[in-house]
Amino acid sequence: MTQTLERHTPTEADRPRKAHRGLSPRARRAFAPYFLILPALVVLAVVLLWPIGQMLWISLHDYGLRQLQGQEAEWNNFGHYLHVLTDERFWSIFRNTILVCMAMVALTMTLGTLVGLLMNRLPKWASTTLGIGLMLAWATPVISAAIVYRWLFDTRYGFVNTVLDSLPDWLVGSGWQEFNWFASPETLFPILVVTVVWQSFPFVAISVLAGLKSIPGELYEAARIDGASGWKSFWHVTVPMLRPLFALLLILQIIWDFRIFTQLFILAGGVTNREVALIPTYIYQLGFASTPPNYGMGSAIAVIMTVLVLVISAYYLRTMIRQEEA
Amino acid sequence: MNNVYRLRKALGRTGAYAAALAVFLFAIFPVYWVLATALRPTGEIFTREPTLFPREITFEHFERVTSGVLIPGTSFWSFLTNSLIVTVGSVVFAALLSLLAAIAVARFRFKLRSVFIILLLVIQMVPVEALIISLFINFFHLGNTLDVELVNNLSGVFIVYVAVALPITILMVRNFVNAVPKQLEEAAAIDGASGWTIFWRIMMPLVAPGLAAASIFAFITAWNEFLVAFTFLQNNTDAYTLPISLQYYFGAVSIEWGSIMAASTLLTIPVMIFFLFVQRRMVSGLTMGAVKG
């Protein structure tokens, strides 16, 4: 300590002059924050802001491999948007995305909330043990989760099909070990939903548990004195207290589930099967898995997706921004 | 009356335990199945009557993965090194940049401060899945202009990971800087401590836990990242990171489930370890303010 202090003995007054010749302490103070945010700002600008602008620009031009190689891109008068919005295939993918996303969100929120409530009632050891179990699912890398579900539902040797085949035929039918779950949207999407919900309900459960723990006990006591039953105090104390938390969780889940890519990529074995495409995989397919790639169209859909996500997250953003101002 | 009440309570408790057990099994079964498959001999995997528990434990799959015989010409160790370079590198960078920006945001009142914060919040919401095409094109062109290879090579992925991590890490570290009492710094200044001394002796020890938490966050995200790595590195197996190598094993003609599960286990272990540290912050960080107290 003394050593450091001695090395820096120069007093307040002469230090600034030494380090920053020519700048008054006042100017330094004014410029300092900009110097400090500059590196982060540059990285964000080059890596994220610029491509956001570029995404808009590309979506308004005919843009393919040639343009990537340097040929001038031609303005196409909102052609991609007009095409996309009148394209039946896009709308069917859009509908599937909404449906799958809604199923994921509904299941995640319901299961997560129920498990959170359950953990709140369990004794400490049980809720800790359950918490560790939840964490294992939550912490599994997305790619590993997708692959193990692919394996669990594998046609011939997968755990699910072998179990189904070992059950009596009158109950579940037979021939499961010839059944491919991943070939059609009717069976693939439910598995996708399970895969995603499996990983996302722990976050909701733990958040709800934290929320429940933060509700002051006096409120329940007051409710009891007023003669409220358990059910009533749940509706009139727990639910209102947790409403802001639910709103945030809901928005986060919608956004996260809207963006699902890796799981579908693995389960469907790539992005070429348009039958089981969702918006993120469709964008990828247009950009990187079709010959020739159609960057313009892909970007138009990407713009639509971004706008949707931002609209959905408006409430979340508003809450966060308000907190900043407070 | 009393008996009915007690019976109901007992039933309720049994029900709660049963439900907890069911949820617990649902949560851990896939994780267990990864391990169980990775540790049993091939003969036990490719059978139409698999057993719940391995009858025999073997490490042959781990050996196959790490020795690189799975896909000739590739090496698990090179995938691991790539993953480590790109993750640790981007985390260190993001931590540094976010510390600087966090100090600016927490300790200075400047004109563009709220614009900067709003920018961070909004940018954080823009999905990479939507941005992937222009991200690729941007780096392709940037590489051409600067005459360096940014696509097909780890450097591009590295920069993207830094940028993607920044908004969250800045905001997280900012909260920790905010929590450092100003009086502490002022007192030190009065005692004659220089700016650097104040920074290292007072600010850093208090901000370090936040920096660590933010770094672990960034680490997990980068370590698991699939889409950007896959898009950028597709044609260069030498630059593969672990997640895309898994996909690569997976795409092989005959799927070696044992080896894939072994590789998957190796990918998962570091995440699980780090996860233990940040689990609680993960919850509070994302739902900041929604839970009072």
Side-chain angles (χ1 to χ4, degrees):
Chain A
M1 186 71 195
T2 24
Q3 213 188 2
T4 340
L5 279 180
E6 255 156 27
R7 237 192 305 137
H8 296 285
T9 14
T11 49
E12 274 294 301
D14 60 335
R15 186 166 38 78
R17 231 185 312 135
K18 240 185 186 169
H20 297 261
R21 236 164 287 143
L23 270 182
S24 71
R26 205 186 196 187
R28 253 187 75 203
R29 181 99 192 140
F31 281 120
Y34 295 100
F35 283 127
L36 292 173
I37 62 167
L38 190 67
L41 204 57
V42 168
V43 173
L44 288 175
V46 172
V47 182
L48 297 175
L49 284 180
W50 178 250
I52 292 174
Q54 222 175 6
M55 167 172 79
L56 271 169
W57 191 88
I58 294 172
S59 76
L60 294 168
H61 290 77
D62 283 322
Y63 206 105
L65 265 189
R66 286 206 189 125
Q67 284 72 24
L68 179 71
Q69 305 293 353
Q71 204 180 72
E72 191 90 6
E74 256 174 69
W75 169 260
N76 83 345
N77 211 11
F78 297 93
H80 295 309
Y81 290 96
L82 292 175
H83 181 259
V84 164
L85 294 177
T86 51
D87 184 13
E88 248 172 68
R89 185 185 286 142
F90 171 77
W91 285 113
S92 106
I93 289 173
F94 185 80
R95 201 187 51 234
N96 285 344
T97 310
I98 302 285
L99 286 176
V100 168
C101 181
M102 269 168 53
M104 287 170 182
V105 173
L107 282 171
T108 306
M109 291 299 291
T110 316
L111 186 60
T113 307
L114 289 176
V115 173
L117 288 168
L118 175 67
M119 283 173 89
N120 198 34
R121 282 189 51 188
L122 289 174
K124 184 96 174 115
W125 68 268
S127 95
T128 312
T129 316
L130 182 52
I132 292 170
L134 296 184
M135 228 185 55
L136 288 177
W138 183 10
T140 300
V142 170
I143 178 98
S144 305
I147 290 181
V148 73
Y149 272 89
R150 183 81 166 68
W151 167 222
L152 282 168
F153 286 90
D154 184 59
T155 305
R156 287 194 134 197
Y157 305 108
F159 183 77
V160 173
N161 279 359
T162 51
V163 166
L164 282 172
D165 248 4
S166 68
L167 290 174
D169 287 355
W170 57 264
L171 195 64
V172 292
S174 62
W176 284 102
Q177 284 175 320
E178 265 75 55
F179 184 76
N180 181 354
W181 292 86
F182 304 103
S184 81
E186 289 83 12
T187 48
L188 190 149
F189 283 144
I191 293 174
L192 179 69
V193 170
V194 174
T195 311
V196 172
V197 170
W198 175 70
Q199 282 209 285
S200 44
F201 86 93
F203 169 65
V204 176
I206 309 259
S207 301
V208 169
L209 180 64
L212 288 170
K213 290 248 159 81
S214 76
I215 299 177
E218 300 96 75
L219 287 180
Y220 289 107
E221 220 162 281
R224 209 177 38 240
I225 292 168
D226 289 349
S229 62
W231 191 239
K232 265 197 170 150
S233 74
F234 175 76
W235 274 114
H236 295 286
V237 178
T238 315
V239 172
M241 286 300 283
L242 291 189
R243 189 165 290 141
L245 174 70
F246 275 125
L248 282 195
L249 287 176
L250 190 67
I251 291 168
L252 286 173
Q253 287 305 329
I254 295 174
I255 293 166
W256 289 339
D257 292 346
F258 197 62
R259 298 172 52 170
I260 294 301
F261 176 89
T262 312
Q263 293 94 322
L264 181 57
F265 184 91
I266 295 296
L267 292 177
V271 293
T272 37
N273 185 0
R274 284 198 183 180
E275 284 260 289
V276 295
L278 297 180
I279 288 181
T281 53
Y282 190 42
I283 293 171
Y284 185 88
Q285 196 239 325
L286 286 169
F288 304 104
S290 21
T291 32
N294 193 342
Y295 299 124
M297 184 83 82
S299 294
I301 298 171
V303 170
I304 296 174
M305 177 178 172
T306 308
V307 170
L308 280 173
V309 168
L310 287 179
V311 168
I312 296 167
S313 56
Y315 174 81
Y316 177 81
L317 286 172
R318 209 185 58 174
T319 315
M320 298 304 256
I321 290 170
R322 273 210 189 139
Q323 248 171 50
E324 292 298 335
E325 283 161 357
Chain B
M1 183 63 202
N2 205 8
N3 275 343
V4 173
Y5 178 72
R6 219 178 287 159
L7 184 69
R8 261 187 62 188
K9 211 171 168 191
L11 274 178
R13 201 180 306 131
T14 322
Y17 280 125
L21 184 67
V23 174
F24 183 73
L25 291 177
F26 172 62
I28 65 160
F29 185 72
V31 180
Y32 166 73
W33 203 241
V34 173
L35 269 178
T37 310
L39 289 170
R40 62 175 75 191
T42 309
E44 278 189 45
I45 296 171
F46 294 97
T47 167
R48 287 180 171 239
E49 278 149 5
T51 50
L52 197 53
F53 301 101
R55 267 171 294 195
E56 193 188 317
I57 298 280
T58 168
F59 288 95
E60 60 175 282
H61 303 300
F62 287 93
E63 273 159 36
R64 277 180 74 75
V65 169
T66 50
S67 66
V69 291
L70 202 53
I71 293 176
T74 66
S75 143
F76 171 80
W77 301 108
S78 110
F79 299 149
L80 179 68
T81 319
N82 291 337
S83 264
L84 280 175
I85 291 174
V86 94
T87 333
V88 175
S90 63
V91 167
V92 170
F93 239 79
L96 262 172
L97 298 192
S98 51
L99 180 61
L100 297 180
I103 290 174
V105 172
R107 279 291 182 262
F108 294 87
R109 292 284 166 273
F110 53 106
K111 252 193 199 148
L112 295 178
R113 182 175 171 276
S114 41
V115 176
F116 183 62
I117 294 178
I118 292 172
L119 181 80
L120 293 179
L121 288 168
V122 175
I123 267 196
Q124 188 195 334
M125 285 294 147
V126 175
V128 177
E129 291 73 17
L131 221 51
I132 190 69
I133 290 180
S134 49
L135 216 50
F136 176 81
I137 292 176
N138 180 35
F139 275 77
F140 185 83
H141 284 158
L142 203 66
N144 279 353
T145 318
L146 302 174
D147 207 24
V148 284
E149 225 182 342
L150 291 176
V151 178
N152 255 329
N153 154 330
L154 281 180
S155 51
V157 180
F158 160 80
I159 302 170
V160 176
Y161 288 178
V162 174
V164 170
L166 274 179
I168 301 173
T169 50
I170 293 177
L171 293 172
M172 269 179 91
V173 177
R174 190 269 317 252
N175 289 339
F176 279 81
V177 179
N178 263 342
V180 178
K182 262 198 170 153
Q183 294 92 314
L184 223 54
E185 291 166 44
E186 283 159 8
I190 290 169
D191 287 347
S194 73
W196 274 112
T197 314
I198 295 174
F199 178 75
W200 281 113
R201 300 261 160 167
I202 293 168
M203 186 85 100
M204 267 320 264
L206 292 169
V207 175
L211 212 52
S215 304
I216 294 175
F217 240 138
F219 180 93
I220 295 176
T221 320
W223 184 259
N224 290 346
E225 206 282 333
F226 179 77
L227 176 62
V228 175
F230 185 67
T231 311
F232 278 37
L233 306 173
Q234 216 165 14
N235 304 319
N236 184 3
T237 17
D238 290 335
Y240 273 17
T241 55
L242 280 179
I244 43 176
S245 78
L246 266 184
Q247 186 276 336
Y248 193 63
Y249 292 146
F250 187 69
V253 186
S254 66
I255 302 177
E256 285 196 37
W257 287 111
S259 305
I260 289 176
M261 292 302 142
S264 184
T265 309
L266 295 173
L267 173 78
T268 308
I269 290 169
V271 185
M272 294 273 178
I273 294 170
F274 277 133
F275 212 85
L276 284 172
F277 294 109
V278 282
Q279 189 243 113
R280 203 158 295 172
R281 266 190 237 293
M282 210 93 146
V283 172
S284 57
L286 286 162
T287 53
M288 248 184 302
V291 186
K292 299 257 160 35

